[in-house]
Amino acid sequence: MLGKVALEEAFALPRFQERTRWWASLFAVDPEKHAAEITDITDMRIKYMDKHGVGYTILSYTAPGVQDIWDPKEAHDLAVEINDYAANTIKPHPDRFGAFATLSMHDPSQAAAELERCVTKLGFIGALVNDTQRAGPDGDDMIFYDGPEWDVFWSKVTELDVPFYLHPRNPTGTIYEKLWAKRKWLIGPPLSFAQGVSLHLLGMVTNGVFDRHPKLQVIIGHLGEHLPFDLWRINHWFEDIKKPLGLACKKTIRDYFAENVWITTSGHFSTPTLEYCITEMGADRILFSIDYPFESFGDACDWYDGVTLKGDEVQKIGRDNAKKLFKLGAFKDSE
């Protein structure tokens, strides 16, 4: 399929090349290759896009990114630097690239203001945040965005009418030591990513974020971070047990997934899994993505180009849903 849109696609600042190479050595089979790919935006990436039929890429800063910085000023300053760099780098290629805002999530009003700057001044088409924000004197605290103090931020997101991508990050501090230090091979895609994001998203549901902001659109990756497979059980317990005990959600979990939540294929290239997610959520809420350079263009695109679905579902998931959600103009092979 030509004209695919990919939207969980990472980059890193070139000035962090050595740090990026060290970080890559913790998870990449070829750290040098990974470091070269993630610090490149318009050279190798466009060649891969052309080779594999990706018409448009929405870039985001790599995890853990700003969410790993517990000093509020340092985090905000880095977010501004990243956003300005991304805007300047993709400016010559408006028909190939868009960008998600990078945000420090220490302060809701500051995050809202930076998002507004990115959307209205830089032309960005949403935000991507790497799960909870590290905070506190030693970085061991975690800021979730599901409390009423974050309403000022979510109001701005809905006012700007842009999606918010809730992406994972690695566990840190006490959580790492107690849960993951002796189970290190489960960190990342095998388990910890899904655990973190699913907790955060369901916290937004049960703490009323979507009830207070019914137009909010949140994207999660990796075919839903395990949540589509638990929708029946979550719905049963919410409706039949938790609500009689006091849970105050106005809608069902299936309603929120139908009206507020999107999932992507990033890093999860399984046709039976995709078909299951379509059964649970419908093709209209699913978006193609790669998770480059943590995953390869070849693995993602060769798989997706060979998928057979019903009617126009392949085109919807590969391109048209993203065009509608992000209000995209013309791009390579967009029609």
Side-chain angles (χ1 to χ4, degrees):
M1 174 184 172
L2 299 178
K4 293 185 290 293
V5 178
L7 55 130
E8 189 184 314
E9 319 307 326
F11 73 95
L13 291 178
R15 74 178 179 89
F16 290 146
Q17 182 78 16
E18 289 303 316
R19 183 188 305 179
T20 299
R21 189 178 292 108
W22 169 81
W23 181 254
S25 71
L26 302 179
F27 57 81
V29 176
D30 188 341
E32 293 293 333
K33 180 175 182 285
H34 179 89
E37 290 179 336
I38 203 167
T39 53
D40 165 83
I41 291 180
T42 59
D43 184 13
M44 285 186 288
R45 199 175 305 241
I46 289 180
K47 293 175 183 175
Y48 283 141
M49 291 167 66
D50 289 344
K51 179 179 179 180
H52 294 284
V54 175
Y56 195 80
T57 290
I58 304 173
L59 297 166
S60 55
Y61 198 70
T62 187
V66 172
Q67 274 59 68
D68 200 41
I69 300 175
W70 56 91
D71 177 82
K73 184 179 186 306
E74 182 183 350
H76 177 66
D77 289 348
L78 180 58
V80 172
E81 178 188 354
I82 290 167
N83 292 329
D84 289 343
Y85 171 77
N88 290 330
T89 305
I90 68 174
K91 191 174 182 179
H93 307 278
D95 60 338
R96 304 307 303 273
F97 292 109
F100 284 121
T102 296
L103 302 173
S104 165
M105 299 296 276
H106 286 277
D107 177 82
S109 296
Q110 185 184 62
E114 178 60 10
L115 176 61
E116 184 169 38
R117 182 184 80 92
C118 288
V119 172
T120 62
K121 304 296 184 183
L122 303 182
F124 288 8
I125 51 180
L128 183 144
V129 167
N130 295 304
D131 204 5
T132 54
Q133 177 72 54
R134 295 187 73 181
D138 57 0
D140 203 30
D141 295 338
M142 297 185 296
I143 299 174
F144 286 80
Y145 322 128
D146 56 6
E149 69 275 15
W150 281 90
D151 282 350
V152 63
F153 175 75
W154 296 122
S155 293
K156 181 60 66 176
V157 176
T158 56
E159 175 192 323
L160 294 168
D161 194 20
V162 294
F164 178 91
Y165 203 127
L166 185 61
H167 184 275
R169 68 171 177 87
N170 281 4
T172 52
T174 301
I175 295 296
Y176 169 79
E177 293 298 334
K178 289 187 174 182
L179 296 182
W180 304 101
K182 294 182 179 180
R183 301 160 193 91
K184 64 179 182 178
W185 300 114
L186 300 179
I187 293 172
L191 185 59
S192 75
F193 280 179
Q195 185 189 65
V197 171
S198 59
L199 172 66
H200 207 157
L201 183 71
L202 290 179
M204 292 174 67
V205 170
T206 55
N207 287 344
V209 172
F210 296 113
D211 291 336
R212 297 191 299 274
H213 308 278
K215 294 183 179 180
L216 178 62
Q217 301 298 304
V218 172
I219 307 167
I220 58 174
H222 317 121
L223 282 178
E225 308 289 9
H226 301 176
L227 286 173
F229 312 99
D230 273 345
L231 282 182
W232 185 92
R233 185 167 169 81
I234 295 169
N235 186 72
H236 163 55
W237 271 80
F238 278 8
E239 299 305 309
D240 299 335
I241 294 101
K242 300 293 186 177
K243 284 187 177 179
L245 292 174
L247 175 63
C249 294
K250 294 179 180 179
K251 302 177 183 178
T252 70
I253 187 67
R254 291 190 180 277
D255 291 333
Y256 296 117
F257 266 73
E259 298 170 17
N260 304 103
V261 178
W262 302 72
I263 68 173
T264 78
T265 67
S266 59
H268 203 144
F269 314 136
S270 163
T271 302
T273 309
L274 174 60
E275 291 172 338
Y276 180 86
C277 290
I278 292 172
T279 300
E280 286 293 310
M281 297 183 59
D284 290 343
R285 307 297 295 189
I286 304 175
L287 306 155
F288 173 77
S289 286
I290 299 169
D291 206 355
Y292 174 83
F294 301 93
E295 305 287 350
S296 74
F297 270 81
D299 284 350
C301 297
D302 291 350
W303 161 71
Y304 194 73
D305 290 345
V307 167
T308 301
L309 301 173
K310 297 176 182 178
D312 60 352
E313 289 177 342
V314 168
Q315 184 169 313
K316 278 185 176 181
I317 294 169
R319 180 179 65 201
D320 292 348
N321 290 343
K323 287 173 63 176
K324 182 178 179 180
L325 176 63
F326 294 102
K327 306 174 189 65
L328 300 179
F331 55 87
K332 183 178 174 64
D333 300 315
S334 59
E335 299 298 334

